[in-house]
């Protein structure tokens, strides 16, 4: 056996272990959320090769799961619509490539979630986001300490495609403003995506800390880094989303201490407060924007929305799915000419879905977000003291994605789409009630249709108790039975044997 063959065998064996699969999942999260930074560093050809290698690694590591993955109907519908749109696309070649990337991103989310399971995937998501967050801060520190001047992308093929002179490009990787108080852009080279990474990482860190699934100092350090990034990016979108999330967290903690009827009342009050706040913000939006030091055109966004809406009205079926716009082609070039060179997407996921996939695409995306929001909050509404905080994390992540979608289109691409698919797969589609003994309920048998996901074992510092959807696809393949099955009390393992707390 040659050294090359031997090395390949070793890699295959490493990927076929639990640790190998965890590493691949964490790397997939990093790649999904920090893709722009890798494109700036490597250029499109090497970045594409890196994505292919990652995809191959996922297939090898999760080959037992690949044949059993299931994608929800609405997600499948949007992907099918994107594929069909290549027929009438204004840029068919770009659309075909974009659909392939969309399918690959969906595949990554589905395989990693359904293989790892809900709780383990949340830990791995936390690690990937933590690396992206701290890596972005480390990148800015290196630029400020070592480079000491604004840094452009190492490879300028994106500017070349757009027909922009690299010397006059508006896109910089880092402005070297870390020691000047920002705004910083992180490894991704854009302050809004970097602030979004900090927001999502902070949400997951808080939830994992509340649930006792990571070491206290580990979570606190991540939360501190998230707060620092928010202060240094100065993203008005992130600050507005954080204000909304604070209200949701407060409501969730109140609900955990109330009975079912009162929890519904709190939910109604939160909804009414949200609508009232939206009305006030719309009425006094110049004053609200002034608080965030923003002008009334929302940094050229209103102009982009106006032009994109006019183009969307011209073609009810849409101009074809392209994800990020090929701004060197029409009609995207016309939007750039009339607004700003930074218009690589519509800065609103719902308008962008309308623009690319027509009314059907916009309705499908809205349906996905609304259904996920209702499902995730319904689980929170059914939570009591002692239940896991993971459902609260689902609700907060869903809210963050939905709110960010009004000012960014990244819900349709890369980390945004990856997280959306992951949440759709993790969040139960219906509440089931326990009508039999706990250890029988947790067997995952289809012969017992009334199931609940209860696992409250004394050796653990956290609770895995959450409501379980009856139609969870993991029931059929036994994933839930392997993860959550707990034998009768007299057969449970002793403390310190195989049920030690996981402090990863």
């Amino acid at each position: 056996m040659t050294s090359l063959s031997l090395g390949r065998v070793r890699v295959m064996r490493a990927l076929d272990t639990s640790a190998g699969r965890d590493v691949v999942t964490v790397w997939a999260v990093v790649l999904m959320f920090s893709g722009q930074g890798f494109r700036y560093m490597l250029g499109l050809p090497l970045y594409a090769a890196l994505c292919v290698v990652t995809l191959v690694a996922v297939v090898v590591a999760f080959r037992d799961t690949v044949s059993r993955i299931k994608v929800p109907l609405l997600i499948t519908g949007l992907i099918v619509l994107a594929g069909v749109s290549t027929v009438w696309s204004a840029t068919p070649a770009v659309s075909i490539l974009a659909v392939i990337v969309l399918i690959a991103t969906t595949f990554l989310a589905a395989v990693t979630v359904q293989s790892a399971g809900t709780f383990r995937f949340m830990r791995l998501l936390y690690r990937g986001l933590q690396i992206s967050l701290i890596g972005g801060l480390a990148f800015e520190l290196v630029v400020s300490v070592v480079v000491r001047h604004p840094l452009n992308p190492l490879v300028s093929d994106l500017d070349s495609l757009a027909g922009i002179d690299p010397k006059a490009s508006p896109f910089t990787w880092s402005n070297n403003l870390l020691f000047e108080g920002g705004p910083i852009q992180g490894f991704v080279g854009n302050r809004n995506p970097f602030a979004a990474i900090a927001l999502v990482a902070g949400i997951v860190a808080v939830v994992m800390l509340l649930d006792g699934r990571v070491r206290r100092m580990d979570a606190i350090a991540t939360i501190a880094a998230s707060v620092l990034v928010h202060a240094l990016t100065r993203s008005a979108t992130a600050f507005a989303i954080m204000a909304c999330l604070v209200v949701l967290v407060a409501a969730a903690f109140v609900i955990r201490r109330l009975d079912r009827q009162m929890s519904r009342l709190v939910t109604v009050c939160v909804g009414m407060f949200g609508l009232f706040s939206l009305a006030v913000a719309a009425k006094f939006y110049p004053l609200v924007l002034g608080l965030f030091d923003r002008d009334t055109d929302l940094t050229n966004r209103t102009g982009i929305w106006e032009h994109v809406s006019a183009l969307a009205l011209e073609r009810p079926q849409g101009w074809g799915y392209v994800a990020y716009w090929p701004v060197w082609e029409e009609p995207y070039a016309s939007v750039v000419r009339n607004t700003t060179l930074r218009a690589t997407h519509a800065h609103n996921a719902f308008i962008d879905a309308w623009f690319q996939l027509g009314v059907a695409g916009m309705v499908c995306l809205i349906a996905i977000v609304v259904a996920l929001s209702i499902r995730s909050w319904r689980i929170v509404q059914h939570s009591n003291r002692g239940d896991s905080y993971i459902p609260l994390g689902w609700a907060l992540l869903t809210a963050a994605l939905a709110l960010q979608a009004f000012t960014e289109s990244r819900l349709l691409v890369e980390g945004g789409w990856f997280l959306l698919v992951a949440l759709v797969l993790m969040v139960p589609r219906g509440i089931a009630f326990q009508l039999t003994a706990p250890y029988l309920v947790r067997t995952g048998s289809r012969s017992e249709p009334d199931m609940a996901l209860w696992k409250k074992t004394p050796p653990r510092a956290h609770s895995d108790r959450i409501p379980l959807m009856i139609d969870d696809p993991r029931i059929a393949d036994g994933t839930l039975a392997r993860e959550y099955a707990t034998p009768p009390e007299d057969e449970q393992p002793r403390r310190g044997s195989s049920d030690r707390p996981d402090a990863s």
Side-chain angles (χ1 to χ4, degrees), residues 103-186:
I103 293 172
T105 305
T106 307
F107 172 79
L108 285 178
V111 169
T112 52
V113 170
Q114 295 181 353
S115 176
T118 297
F119 297 108
R120 187 157 193 82
F121 178 80
M122 288 295 288
R123 285 196 293 269
L124 299 175
L125 176 67
Y126 169 73
R127 291 301 176 204
L129 292 168
Q130 185 184 52
I131 291 171
S132 299
L133 175 65
I134 297 176
L137 280 173
F139 169 77
E140 288 286 356
L141 182 62
V142 169
V143 171
S144 294
V145 173
V146 179
V147 180
R148 297 184 180 181
H149 60 75
L151 180 66
N152 290 325
L154 300 184
V155 183
S156 58
D157 48 8
L158 290 172
D159 289 333
S160 301
L161 276 174
I164 301 173
D165 182 1
K167 294 182 179 179
S169 174
F171 301 102
T172 56
W173 197 358
S174 172
N175 290 315
N176 185 30
L177 296 175
L178 178 63
F179 295 148
E180 296 179 24
I184 62 173
Q185 302 188 144

Side-chain angles (χ1 to χ4, degrees), residues 264-296:
R264 292 194 188 101
L265 179 61
V266 171
T267 297
V268 171
C269 291
V270 170
M272 293 179 64
F273 177 76
L275 292 175
F276 174 76
S277 301
L278 185 63
V280 171
K283 175 71 174 177
F284 302 103
Y285 79 93
L287 178 61
V288 173
L289 293 174
L291 296 175
F292 293 103
D293 193 26
R294 295 293 184 272
D295 48 30
T296 54

Side-chain angles (χ1 to χ4, degrees), residues 19-325:
R21 287 187 286 272
D22 287 354
V23 169
V24 170
T25 301
V26 171
W27 164 247
V29 172
V30 173
L31 184 63
M32 287 294 98
F33 281 89
S34 302
Q36 186 64 45
F38 289 108
R39 289 192 288 274
Y40 282 168
M41 182 173 67
L42 302 174
L44 286 176
L46 287 180
Y47 170 75
L50 182 63
C51 291
V52 171
V53 170
T54 301
L55 198 59
V56 171
V58 169
V59 172
V60 172
F62 300 100
R63 57 183 177 275
D64 294 335
T65 308
V66 168
S67 61
R68 294 184 282 111
I69 63 171
K70 298 181 180 180
V71 180
L73 183 60
L74 283 175
I75 298 292
T76 303
L78 195 144
I79 294 172
V80 169
L81 182 60
V84 173
S85 74
T86 59
V87 175
W88 60 75
S89 174
T91 54
V94 176
S95 290
I96 291 172
L97 179 60
V99 170
I100 292 172
V101 174
L102 181 67
I103 293 172
T105 305
T106 307
F107 172 79
L108 285 178
V111 169
T112 52
V113 170
Q114 295 181 353
S115 176
T118 297
F119 297 108
R120 187 157 193 82
F121 178 80
M122 288 295 288
R123 285 196 293 269
L124 299 175
L125 176 67
Y126 169 73
R127 291 301 176 204
L129 292 168
Q130 185 184 52
I131 291 171
S132 299
L133 175 65
I134 297 176
L137 280 173
F139 169 77
E140 288 286 356
L141 182 62
V142 169
V143 171
S144 294
V145 173
V146 179
V147 180
R148 297 184 180 181
H149 60 75
L151 180 66
N152 290 325
L154 300 184
V155 183
S156 58
D157 48 8
L158 290 172
D159 289 333
S160 301
L161 276 174
I164 301 173
D165 182 1
K167 294 182 179 179
S169 174
F171 301 102
T172 56
W173 197 358
S174 172
N175 290 315
N176 185 30
L177 296 175
L178 178 63
F179 295 148
E180 296 179 24
I184 62 173
Q185 302 188 144
F187 181 71
V188 292
N190 188 313
R191 67 176 177 176
N192 287 320
F194 192 34
I197 290 172
L199 179 64
V200 176
I203 291 171
V204 180
V206 169
V207 169
M208 301 302 276
L209 176 62
L210 291 172
D211 228 37
R213 296 182 182 275
V214 295
R215 292 185 178 91
R216 184 181 300 273
M217 291 309 299
D218 186 327
I220 290 175
T222 303
I223 294 169
S226 175
V227 172
L228 178 62
V229 168
H230 281 301
L232 292 174
T233 53
R234 302 179 189 174
S235 172
T237 300
F239 282 118
I241 294 173
M242 285 175 64
C244 296
L245 296 185
V246 167
V247 175
L248 292 180
V249 170
F253 274 92
V254 171
I255 283 173
R256 292 171 73 92
R257 289 158 174 79
L258 300 176
D259 58 30
R260 194 62 47 80
Q261 186 174 0
M262 290 300 296
S263 67
R264 292 194 188 101
L265 179 61
V266 171
T267 297
V268 171
C269 291
V270 170
M272 293 179 64
F273 177 76
L275 292 175
F276 174 76
S277 301
L278 185 63
V280 171
K283 175 71 174 177
F284 302 103
Y285 79 93
L287 178 61
V288 173
L289 293 174
L291 296 175
F292 293 103
D293 193 26
R294 295 293 184 272
D295 48 30
T296 54
D297 71 348
L298 299 174
T299 320
N300 298 314
R301 283 179 173 83
T302 55
I304 295 172
W305 297 340
E306 189 177 315
H307 283 86
V308 170
S309 298
L311 288 168
L313 289 171
E314 293 179 12
R315 297 182 68 171
Q317 77 275 25
W319 291 83
Y321 179 77
V322 293
Y324 289 122
W325 294 352

